[in-house]
PDB file of all heavy atoms in Angstrom:
ATOM      1  N   ASP A  21      16.198 -10.022 -11.069  1.00 96.00           N
ATOM      2  CA  ASP A  21      17.479  -9.355 -11.186  1.00 96.00           C
ATOM      3  C   ASP A  21      18.586 -10.346 -11.479  1.00 96.00           C
ATOM      4  O   ASP A  21      18.386 -11.520 -11.684  1.00 96.00           O
ATOM      5  CB  ASP A  21      17.764  -8.387 -10.126  1.00 96.00           C
ATOM      6  CG  ASP A  21      17.817  -9.196  -8.707  1.00 96.00           C
ATOM      7  OD1 ASP A  21      18.139 -10.404  -8.713  1.00 96.00           O
ATOM      8  OD2 ASP A  21      17.750  -8.507  -7.689  1.00 96.00           O
ATOM      9  N   GLU A  36       2.980   0.034  -4.038  1.00 97.00           N
ATOM     10  CA  GLU A  36       2.258   1.174  -4.593  1.00 97.00           C
ATOM     11  C   GLU A  36       1.034   0.641  -5.298  1.00 97.00           C
ATOM     12  O   GLU A  36      -0.086   1.273  -5.131  1.00 97.00           O
ATOM     13  CB  GLU A  36       3.175   1.931  -5.563  1.00 97.00           C
ATOM     14  CG  GLU A  36       2.556   3.195  -6.089  1.00 97.00           C
ATOM     15  CD  GLU A  36       1.582   3.046  -7.311  1.00 97.00           C
ATOM     16  OE1 GLU A  36       1.784   2.061  -8.046  1.00 97.00           O
ATOM     17  OE2 GLU A  36       0.685   3.910  -7.441  1.00 97.00           O
ATOM     18  N   LEU A  48     -11.686   6.418  -3.838  1.00 96.00           N
ATOM     19  CA  LEU A  48     -10.717   7.580  -4.073  1.00 96.00           C
ATOM     20  C   LEU A  48      -9.815   7.249  -5.131  1.00 96.00           C
ATOM     21  O   LEU A  48      -8.623   6.873  -4.915  1.00 96.00           O
ATOM     22  CB  LEU A  48      -9.974   7.841  -2.695  1.00 96.00           C
ATOM     23  CG  LEU A  48     -10.970   8.361  -1.598  1.00 96.00           C
ATOM     24  CD1 LEU A  48     -10.302   8.205  -0.273  1.00 96.00           C
ATOM     25  CD2 LEU A  48     -11.417   9.770  -1.849  1.00 96.00           C
ATOM     26  N   LEU A  70      12.032 -10.587   3.785  1.00 97.00           N
ATOM     27  CA  LEU A  70      12.221 -11.732   4.717  1.00 97.00           C
ATOM     28  C   LEU A  70      12.514 -13.061   3.831  1.00 97.00           C
ATOM     29  O   LEU A  70      13.172 -13.877   4.405  1.00 97.00           O
ATOM     30  CB  LEU A  70      10.915 -11.883   5.502  1.00 97.00           C
ATOM     31  CG  LEU A  70      10.443 -10.746   6.243  1.00 97.00           C
ATOM     32  CD1 LEU A  70       9.027 -11.024   6.804  1.00 97.00           C
ATOM     33  CD2 LEU A  70      11.425 -10.409   7.392  1.00 97.00           C
ATOM     34  N   ARG A 111       7.304  -7.636   4.926  1.00 98.00           N
ATOM     35  CA  ARG A 111       6.479  -6.898   5.731  1.00 98.00           C
ATOM     36  C   ARG A 111       7.002  -5.425   5.492  1.00 98.00           C
ATOM     37  O   ARG A 111       8.191  -5.125   5.485  1.00 98.00           O
ATOM     38  CB  ARG A 111       6.490  -7.148   7.151  1.00 98.00           C
ATOM     39  CG  ARG A 111       5.785  -8.527   7.545  1.00 98.00           C
ATOM     40  CD  ARG A 111       5.628  -8.634   8.977  1.00 98.00           C
ATOM     41  NE  ARG A 111       4.750  -9.866   9.268  1.00 98.00           N
ATOM     42  CZ  ARG A 111       5.189 -11.142   9.386  1.00 98.00           C
ATOM     43  NH1 ARG A 111       6.605 -11.285   9.298  1.00 98.00           N
ATOM     44  NH2 ARG A 111       4.441 -12.153   9.622  1.00 98.00           N
ATOM     45  N   PRO A 126       2.087  20.004   1.410  1.00 97.00           N
ATOM     46  CA  PRO A 126       1.208  19.315   2.342  1.00 97.00           C
ATOM     47  C   PRO A 126      -0.060  20.174   2.537  1.00 97.00           C
ATOM     48  O   PRO A 126       0.068  21.406   2.681  1.00 97.00           O
ATOM     49  CB  PRO A 126       1.967  19.228   3.656  1.00 97.00           C
ATOM     50  CG  PRO A 126       3.467  19.326   3.222  1.00 97.00           C
ATOM     51  CD  PRO A 126       3.429  20.167   2.015  1.00 97.00           C
TER      52      PRO A 126
END
Side-chain angles (χ1 to χ4, degrees):
D21 64 18
E36 188 274 335
L48 296 165
L70 305 171
R111 285 190 175 90

